[in-house]
Amino acid sequence: MNRTGRRTRRGTRAARAAWVLAVAAAVAVTAAPAQAAPGWAPTVQVDLGADGALPDGQSLGLGISGNGRYALFSSSATNLLPGTGAPAFGLYVRDLRTGRSELVSRAEDGTPVTNLGDTAGISADGRYIAFAGEANGEFGVYVRDRVKDRTRLLSTGSFQPSISADGRLIAFMSHRADTVPGAPVTPDTRNVYVTDRVTGATRLVSVGADGQAADGPSENPTISADGRTVGYGSKATNLVPAAPGDSTDLLGPRYTTLYATDLRRGTTVVAGLAPDGTPGAADRDLTLSPDGRFAVYGLGALPLPGGKSRTELFLSDLRTGRVESLRTSANPDAICWGSPGAAVTADDRWVYFSGGCSDTIIRASQARYDLYRRDLRTGRTEFLSPAADGTWQDGAATDPFVTDNGRTVLFSSGSTNLVHGGPGAIAWHVYARSLGGR
């Protein structure tokens, strides 16, 4: 049900997307694709023009409403709406029942927001959209009410918004020292905050265990659907009490430590755990289950033959500390990889993720990213992104978002053959797939 856009800045995501597409496009197939579970309907393209035409630009999925009616995505296409005057890059919501799209990245005066950040989110009913961008020369986090056709500035100098299911709570990152007057922060250091849109109160989340300022930057927040838990990455070493043997060696600047803060209890734990229960060197993205119990993340692993780094996916139970590897092969010696963008259903049963495994040696240019879901009760893994003819897709499928019941998944793909009559060239677009007849 993770409805919030991936917690990376636009440039970072673009670079990652380009890399994933490049390695997937040069795939040497090592095994036949797994069979998708019976009952899945064909994949449909979401980012279509007003008359059903193929978009004239690329798009990336950012979220889906709880009932699966509304899809949120960003796009550089100019033909998504009737008429002309579409911005060079905008955020859109598409009604999957009617096929109508609307531009939602609008400022308080209704003009399109420019210089958009890469993070956005949609509330469970599709009414509220949280996004970051620049208007009138000032960058900040905005919330748009689609019902009232109104946008409000939430916080200036802020980035990377994440929205709760009811649209009330917004988590974000800010480097401003005055975001919460008197809060213990170091000037010009990135910190994570949460604003309650009903009361107007904002609180600092990334604070030291002893109440002092965090001694390192924190960013890429995500808030659980119930609004209780905030996950984020941080280079700070004092967010939790130090334990014997703690290490801050994060395998270089790419990796960080992932934390989760319970807003009710005011407690913080390490969310990105290694299999041995110690803090892991993690990718900067983190997914929380709707109730905040589970965290999905990627840990840095030994490089693939050929030199490319890889991230292997894990799921941790924040209540028990149990860590589970999200692998698509039962072979313990298989080389596996994955994209840290994932999604968990409202009943904590299914986790959707992108990645793959090879039971033989595989070079970096052969690592394909397909879409899967894992049944956390039975351990069964299903393949979800075949081409329209049932063979392999010719690109990558990443960043899944799912509805409350897990029966519809929204995702981004650089493939040309997911749908009949699809894009004629390798390019990123947004797709949806649902369980049919259920």
Side-chain angles (χ1 to χ4, degrees):
M1 188 178 65
N2 188 317
R3 305 183 185 93
T4 304
R6 296 294 166 241
R7 276 64 59 186
T8 55
R9 294 306 309 277
R10 183 175 174 182
T12 302
R13 182 193 175 107
R16 190 180 76 190
W19 178 79
V20 170
L21 182 56
V23 298
V27 168
V29 177
T30 58
Q35 295 298 311
W40 282 96
T43 299
V44 298
Q45 188 169 346
V46 172
D47 60 327
L48 294 173
D51 56 356
L54 293 176
D56 58 10
Q58 299 195 80
S59 308
L60 292 170
L62 293 171
I64 191 167
S65 61
N67 63 3
R69 177 168 181 173
Y70 300 104
L72 173 67
F73 62 95
S74 62
S75 183
S76 61
T78 62
N79 63 338
L80 299 180
L81 304 177
T84 61
F89 187 83
L91 296 178
Y92 297 85
V93 167
R94 186 173 182 87
D95 187 326
L96 299 181
R97 294 182 188 173
T98 67
R100 176 180 176 272
S101 295
E102 63 180 285
L103 179 70
V104 293
S105 51
R106 296 187 180 277
E108 292 177 303
D109 61 2
T111 59
V113 172
T114 60
N115 190 26
L116 288 167
D118 186 51
T119 304
I122 185 170
S123 62
D125 58 4
R127 175 173 179 172
Y128 299 104
I129 308 297
F131 64 94
E134 184 177 346
N136 301 316
E138 192 166 39
F139 203 97
V141 168
Y142 295 83
V143 177
R144 180 163 181 80
D145 185 332
R146 295 178 53 243
V147 173
K148 294 185 177 181
D149 190 23
R150 183 176 66 190
T151 302
R152 289 290 181 263
L153 175 64
L154 185 78
S155 177
T156 59
S158 303
F159 309 84
Q160 302 170 344
S162 177
I163 190 170
S164 62
D166 61 6
R168 175 171 178 169
L169 299 177
I170 310 293
F172 59 92
M173 180 273 286
S174 178
H175 56 75
R176 292 182 51 164
D178 61 350
T179 302
V180 176
V185 298
T186 301
D188 299 320
T189 298
R190 298 184 294 277
N191 279 285
V192 172
Y193 299 86
V194 169
T195 290
D196 185 324
R197 294 178 50 249
V198 174
T199 66
T202 299
R203 63 182 287 183
L204 173 66
V205 177
S206 53
V207 64
D210 57 0
Q212 300 299 308
D215 60 10
S218 303
E219 56 190 341
N220 298 317
T222 180
I223 191 166
S224 59
D226 63 6
R228 176 167 177 169
T229 306
V230 176
Y232 51 97
S234 183
K235 295 288 189 178
T237 63
N238 64 336
L239 299 183
V240 296
D246 274 358
S247 172
T248 58
D249 180 9
L250 297 176
L251 304 182
R254 174 181 174 181
Y255 299 106
T256 189
T257 302
L258 298 175
Y259 296 91
T261 296
D262 186 316
L263 298 179
R264 295 181 188 174
R265 297 180 178 178
T267 56
T268 298
V269 298
V270 175
L273 295 174
D276 62 2
T278 61
D283 188 279
R284 289 167 287 183
D285 272 352
L286 169 69
T287 295
L288 291 175
S289 61
D291 59 4
R293 175 173 180 174
F294 295 100
V296 183
Y297 49 92
L299 296 183
L302 293 176
L304 290 167
K308 286 287 186 179
S309 60
R310 70 182 171 102
T311 299
E312 189 162 346
L313 297 183
F314 294 88
L315 177 143
S316 67
D317 186 328
L318 301 183
R319 295 180 188 173
T320 66
R322 181 179 63 87
V323 178
E324 177 180 341
S325 176
L326 297 177
R327 299 165 61 90
T328 60
S329 173
N331 179 2
D333 297 322
I335 300 173
C336 298
W337 55 88
S339 174
V344 182
T345 54
D347 59 3
D348 287 338
R349 176 167 183 177
W350 296 96
V351 56
Y352 289 69
F353 63 96
S354 171
C357 289
S358 174
D359 290 348
T360 60
I361 293 177
I362 185 168
R363 301 187 69 81
S365 62
Q366 298 172 323
R368 67 174 310 117
Y369 283 74
D370 292 300
L371 196 67
Y372 298 89
R373 73 171 186 171
R374 167 78 61 83
D375 187 331
L376 296 178
R377 297 179 187 173
T378 68
R380 179 168 56 96
T381 299
E382 300 174 2
F383 173 65
L384 300 180
S385 56
D389 61 3
T391 60
W392 283 109
Q393 59 172 333
D394 58 8
T398 64
D399 292 333
F401 299 88
V402 299
T403 54
D404 289 347
N405 59 16
R407 293 182 179 177
T408 299
V409 56
L410 184 85
F411 62 97
S412 302
S413 178
S415 300
T416 67
N417 60 349
L418 286 182
V419 297
H420 294 292
I426 295 289
W428 284 97
H429 294 290
V430 182
Y431 299 89
R433 196 169 190 217
S434 300
L435 283 167
R438 292 176 62 179

